[in-house]
Each structure stands twice: as structure tokens, then as C-alpha cells.
Amino acid sequence: MLAIAFTLVLAAILGVMTAMVRDANQLEAERQRDRVEAALATQVHLRRLRFENLQAAGVLTPVLNSVLPSTTLQWAFAQLANRFLDFDGTYLVTASGQVLAGVEQRQTGMQADYDALLKLRPDLPGGSASNKLPGIGSGPVRAVLVREGTETFGIIAVDLRRPELIADPQPGSEAAAFIVGYRKVVQAQLDELGLRYRVPRLEIVTQRPADPLLRRDIPSPNGSVNAWLSWTPERPGDAMLHQFAWALGAVTALFISLFAYVFHRLRNAAQQIASREKQIHRLAGQDELSGLPNRRTFDLRLDQELAQLGRTKSGLAVLLLDLDRFKAVNDTYGHNAGDELIRQVASRLTTILRLGDTVARLGGDEFGIIQTHMAVPNASAALGQRILDALTAPFEIGGVAVTIGCSIGIAHAPQDGADRSTLLRLADTALYQAKNEGRNRYSFFEPQMNRALQLKRMVEEDLRNAIARDQLLLHFQPQVSIDGSTIVGVEALVRWPHPEHGMIPPSEFIGIAEERGLIVPLSEWVLRRACEQARQWPGIKLAVNVSPIQFRHKDFVASVIRVLEETGFDPERLELELTEGVVVEDADAAEAAMMDLRAHGVSLALDDFGTGYSSLIYLRRFAFDKIKIDRSFLEYMEATGESAILVHSVVHLGRALGLRVCAEGVETAEQHRFLQAIGCHELQGFLFSKGVPPEEIDRLLTLDRPFEQALAA
């Protein structure tokens, strides 16, 4: 009974296996047939595209000119056929079959040659059959395979008539209407087609294949079929069955294990069939230039990896790369050099990735990488450094060594996000940060980057409107005499009361305005409004900060003078505060601009003195009237003696050079007494007042000793 049961079970298993093998072979045969049909249709489609391109480029215009002499028309058509059309014979004919021009084996084709072609296919233009040309393709381009004797020909007819003439043909029109071409089909062509579309043993046979899935009819001129286009499909089911047939007969005692093993292998075979199907669509998911996957494939792979995160318990990283100086290579050496650079970059990226990671070209000079199975958190940093090392090495482009770099933005899953759109957005934010930090580096996404990026976009979009609509505010911080009793000047400080984000301090939008090219109109607005306001405070100096970008602008001096003239503000009451970086970068240009400003009566102050490139050379060469001691020197002055010594030295240096000295950041009475003792001229800081609206300055100026109470406290 046990043997019978085993036999029945084994027979059932064999039956199931046989059915699976048959189904696998059948499925592969159907897919192979579809590939053959797709290959033939693609060839016709390519012909159609070629004719459309020729027509769009005007190449067909000469041969469609019915008024040309026949010799000229024949010459023009021969040039067209020999240069653009790869047929054995090509004819330009009317709808009635009259040959206007022809090329037969690179010789002049005659009406008799075309009439011989009509015998093969009487449904060609001018033939006896009235039905349209059957076969492959639709619309204005149709093709067919024809068997004549022992030879097979591919014939194609292209309808050149305008759509309205096709719908309503004009009787008696003898203008060029069709291009008809033929080519003898040889085995080399079929081998090339089979290799390109993965169709093994594509050939023409005269013995009719029994399986209709393995043949395509090739008719003769009389309509009979004596030849077939045939191919031999792969049979994964048979291969699997043959591979394990010995195991089924030899290991009956391990039947259960063998059954599980065979079932598993058959499932793999089905997966292999599916993978071959995917290879057919590979070109749709591949970047043509670099050979890497394109954005569509990258997105699909990222979705797959994210779906497996919960099962694998490991993280992944998304890296977005943007090539630095790629545009310079393109502009300097041409687009071909740029294309070659993209290919070499793709090759280098492929060699440094681990098996299982994905690199894709997302477009232009942007690449994306999916790093999977991250065992340690810093694995993406190591990969980022390897990428930087690989892409900063010189590239050989057309015999010239070209050096570029790249900026990399990195986001992690699931820490930063668990869906594709979020990860790509955050990695792009990190990439933006890497570019802003100087390029040729990698940057990880951090939550505060979203705030910074949103702020930058807001500044770019809203700040220009705020300037144009006069929606900014000016506050003024007093500059006080050394005894603390008198306001000798005010420093203008811009504020932005944003309607949605509230009061935005200058520290959050000045740098972004410089980066986005808005600092020049912003600075001019500040200078104009400050001058208009300070006219109400006679005898008070007005200090206005100048951005390095604004100072280096070619029209800076002219704009300052124009504002002074338009507002009627006394130039001798205006004091422009410059940082040391302004004079260091281009000393000659800076000196010329400063001398021009001083010639108009404007005073100049060296701001943040001691924090940058402070040197006696700058103080002696450039025409400064005042130096401002940076607040950092006073912050810990009580705790260390070194700061006190430095401040003491700066004050004496300024006095020795005949410069006024102003100390910023004065917050305590002890600092005030110290600065008064060493001979500082002016003070500025919270001990006296923070930046306040103009109304508060008006009030302070009415008081006899406005800061007496603060100094006493």
C-alpha cells in the first residue's frame, strides 16, 4: 500500500512537474513570438521615424517637386536614396504606379524594374489589387515580407501624400505620392536582428514548423505560403526537467526533500523567465549616454529597498551627486567632451560601489546612489569620501587632463524618512548645503537644514517685494561719548517684520541676501531710509554698515553720492563701516573707492577690528577715520588679563594714529570704567541701549543725561 501510495504521489508530482514544464515552455514561446513581432514592428517604426525626420528636415522637398525636370528629379532622388535609404531598389512613384525616379542597385531604376516589383506585390501603388498593403506597420508606412522562388524580399511603401489628399484623392494628379523600396533578406540580417532582440536561431525555412508560436508566414506573389520566418525558443522547463531527472529516479527515499527542492528550482526558473522579460524593457530603464540606470529605474529600486527595510533591520542611504565645474568643461571643450566626461564619471562610480548598491544618472550632471545594508552609521561617510577621492582625480578627455569635483547630499532611511519622495527631497537639501559650504564635499541632512532652505527661498521670493513695498524697518543703536552722557552717533540696523514668520533678525537674512544677489538693493534701501531719518537729528553721526559685495560693486560710490544728494543728508555726518575683508581682497580698488568717498566728505570706520587680518599696513594705507573694537574682546575681559591688554593696546594704537576708537559690546559699568580709564573715545552696547526705533532716539535726545540711571545701576 505504501508503494502504491508513493507511486501515486510520485505520479501526481510528475504530472504537476510536466504541466509546469509545459506551461513554462509555452509561456517562453509566447514571449518569444511577441519579441519577434515587436522586433519587426520596431524596424518599420524606425523606418517611419527616418522618413518623418527627412521630411521635417526638408530633405524630401526636392523629390516632391513635381515641376522639376526628370533628369534633375532622378539625380536628387538618387542622392537621397544613396545617402539616407538602405534599400537594394528604391522608387519614387505616383499613386497610379508611374515611376518618376528610381535607383536599382545604385543604378537608375526604370519603369520595367518597378513593374517587376509589382508582380511580387500587386497591391503596391499602380498594382492590380485594390486593397491596402498588408503586413507590418500602419499609417503612411507599411511593410511586408514576400517569398519569390528561393529568395525572400522585404518591401516597404511610404505614403507621402498629405492627409487631405489621402482622404480625397485628386484625379489625374501625377505628383510624387509614394516611395517604394525593397531589400533582399539574408541570414546575416536575421542574425543581427536575433542578437539585438534576444531571439535565438531566427531564420527562414521552407519546412512548415508545427507549432504556430514558432513561425510567421511569408506569402508568395500568388498568395500561397511556402516559406516561414522561424525561431527556436528557449525551453527552461525542459532544461530543468533534464537537469533533475536523475535525482527523481535515484533518490526515491528522499522524496519529500527532492519534491521541495525541485519545486524551489522551478520557481527560480519562473523568476529567470521573468528576468529575461525585464531585459526586453531594459532600454526603457537605462540612461543611453552613461549606460547607468535612469531616474525611473532608480525610483523603482529605491521603492523596493525601502519596502524591505522592516525585514532586513538594516538602514540605507540615498546620495545625490552634482558635478562641480561640469558646465565649464562643456563650455570650454564642447558637448562631446562633456558626454565623455559623463561616461568616465559613470565608470568610476560603478567601480567603487559594493555589490547590491545602485548608481543611476538622474539627468544632466546629477547622479544618484542607493547604499544598502549599512552595518555601521558612518558607512555613507566612507562612501562619500571614496566618491570625492575618485572624482577629484584628473580625467583624460580628448588628450587633455580635466579636473572636476562633486558635491554630495546624503539622507538616511529610516532615520530621516521612510518614503522615496521624502528621502530625495532631504538628500537634495543636503546637496544644496554642500554647495553652499564651498562644493567638493559631502553633507548629511540635518533637521535645521529645512528651516535654512525655507528661509533662503523665502528671502529670495519675499525680500525683493519687501524692499519694493517699503516693508522693512530701521532701528538705531546709540554711540555714546566716553563719559556716557552724550549720544554722538547712531548705527542703523535693518529689521524685517515678515507677515508670516514674525520679526526676522539680520543674522538670518543678510548672508542669504548676499548669496542670492539682493544685497545691493537692500543696502541702498537701508542707506536711503537711514539718511532720511537721521536728517531730524542734527549734529549726530550716522553709521551704516557696508557689505563686501556691495562695496565691490562698480557703482557703489556713485550710488552713495546719489542717495546723499537725493535725501539732502550732510556727507560729513555719514560714516560707512567696512570690514577688513573688503580691503584685503582687492586693495587697489578698495583704496580708490575709499579715497573717492573721503573726497566727498564721507567718513570711514574699520569694523570688527582685530578679528581678521588687522595690520598696521591697512591702518596706515587706507583712509580710515575710526576703528571699532570687536565685542568679542570685551566679553571675557574680566576673566582674563590678555583681553584687557589687547584692548588697551588697540586704544593706544588708534590714538597714536590719530583715529577715533569705538568699543562695541559694552554691557557692564566695569567695562565702561575700564574703557574710560584707557582713553577710548566712544562706546556702544546694551549698557546704554539696544537697537531701538527712531521714536526712542528722539526721546533720548531730549534728555540731558539719558544714560545716567543705567550707569548708576
Side-chain angles (χ1 to χ4, degrees), residues 285 287 293-300 360-363 366 424:
D287 176 61
N294 59 14
R295 181 179 287 276
R296 176 176 178 273
T297 304
F298 181 84
D299 290 346
L300 292 175
R361 183 184 179 217
L362 305 183
E366 185 179 2
L424 291 177

Side-chain angles (χ1 to χ4, degrees), residues 121-171:
R121 292 302 301 181
D123 46 10
L124 290 173
S128 58
S130 60
N131 58 307
K132 293 183 178 180
L133 183 69
I136 309 161
S138 60
V141 179
R142 300 180 63 84
V144 71
L145 292 175
V146 179
R147 183 75 172 185
E148 172 66 14
T150 60
E151 295 181 341
T152 302
F153 300 91
I155 303 175
I156 186 169
V158 184
D159 193 341
L160 302 177
R161 295 174 296 176
R162 296 191 301 274
E164 62 271 16
L165 293 181
I166 297 176
D168 186 18
Q170 301 298 320

Side-chain angles (χ1 to χ4, degrees), residues 100-121:
L100 302 178
V103 176
E104 181 73 30
Q105 302 294 340
R106 293 190 173 272
Q107 302 295 324
T108 300
M110 308 303 292
Q111 184 69 46
D113 298 321
Y114 179 72
D115 292 341
L117 190 61
L118 284 178
K119 295 179 181 179
L120 296 180
R121 292 302 301 181

Side-chain angles (χ1 to χ4, degrees), residues 580 606-616 619 625-634 637 641-664 674-675 678-682:
E580 298 172 7
L606 181 57
D607 198 11
D608 301 334
F609 183 77
T611 60
Y613 306 93
S614 300
S615 170
L616 286 175
L619 293 178
D625 301 281
K626 179 197 290 188
I627 56 176
K628 299 186 71 175
I629 302 174
D630 187 75
R631 67 183 65 247
S632 62
F633 288 101
L634 299 180
M637 192 172 63
E642 294 180 356
S643 293
I645 294 172
L646 287 173
V647 172
H648 186 278
S649 301
V650 171
V651 172
H652 279 268
L653 174 63
R655 296 180 71 91
L657 294 175
L659 305 177
R660 290 170 25 245
V661 181
C662 177
E664 294 183 291
F674 171 78
L675 293 167
I678 64 175
C680 192
H681 296 95
E682 299 172 7

Side-chain angles (χ1 to χ4, degrees), residues 259-490:
F259 176 80
Y261 178 70
V262 172
F263 181 79
H264 175 70
R265 293 297 300 221
L266 285 175
R267 185 177 64 179
N268 286 343
Q271 292 174 348
Q272 291 174 6
I273 294 173
S275 67
R276 283 196 292 269
E277 182 69 14
K278 291 178 182 178
Q279 290 178 359
I280 300 175
H281 304 286
R282 178 172 55 86
L283 291 177
Q286 186 182 58
D287 176 61
E288 182 179 358
L289 176 60
S290 65
L292 297 177
N294 59 14
R295 181 179 287 276
R296 176 176 178 273
T297 304
F298 181 84
D299 290 346
L300 292 175
R301 178 65 190 279
L302 182 54
D303 288 338
Q304 294 171 357
E305 294 295 339
L306 290 173
Q308 297 178 8
L309 278 182
R311 295 192 295 271
T312 60
K313 305 296 183 182
S314 63
L316 64 83
V318 173
L319 294 82
L320 293 184
L321 285 69
D322 196 79
L323 301 183
D324 300 334
R325 297 183 295 279
F326 174 76
K327 185 176 184 301
V329 174
N330 233 9
D331 294 343
T332 304
Y333 301 105
H335 292 293
N336 290 336
D339 292 346
E340 177 60 24
L341 180 58
I342 290 293
R343 285 190 285 268
Q344 292 191 27
V345 168
S347 176
R348 291 192 187 182
L349 291 176
T350 303
T351 58
I352 64 177
L353 293 184
R354 301 173 308 173
L355 185 65
D357 293 345
T358 300
V359 57
R361 183 184 179 217
L362 305 183
D365 60 343
E366 185 179 2
F367 295 82
I369 292 177
I370 305 172
Q371 186 183 17
T372 58
H373 306 298
M374 295 176 57
V376 292
N378 63 345
S380 57
L383 176 58
Q385 189 58 51
R386 291 202 306 272
I387 294 172
L388 291 176
D389 294 340
L391 298 189
T392 51
F395 292 85
E396 187 75 19
I397 307 294
V400 178
V402 174
T403 301
I404 62 169
C406 74
S407 301
I408 307 172
I410 306 174
H412 292 99
Q415 299 95 312
D416 297 328
D419 63 275
R420 168 166 51 88
S421 60
T422 299
L423 280 174
L424 291 177
R425 176 173 56 83
L426 300 185
D428 189 62
T429 301
L431 173 62
Y432 188 87
Q433 181 69 17
K435 290 181 178 180
N436 285 344
E437 291 176 351
R439 301 179 181 270
N440 202 33
R441 65 188 64 220
Y442 59 85
S443 177
F444 293 96
F445 170 77
E446 298 175 359
Q448 61 267 28
M449 289 182 182
N450 269 340
R451 162 71 175 165
L453 184 59
Q454 291 171 3
L455 185 60
K456 288 180 179 180
R457 290 173 178 168
M458 180 192 67
V459 169
E460 187 173 12
E461 296 170 1
D462 296 353
L463 183 56
R464 185 177 286 104
N465 293 331
I467 297 171
R469 298 170 184 172
D470 206 21
Q471 295 175 343
L472 302 175
L473 294 178
L474 279 185
H475 284 187
F476 297 87
Q477 186 175 27
Q479 295 176 342
V480 185
S481 62
I482 191 61
D483 60 1
S485 62
T486 308
I487 297 177
V488 297
V490 291

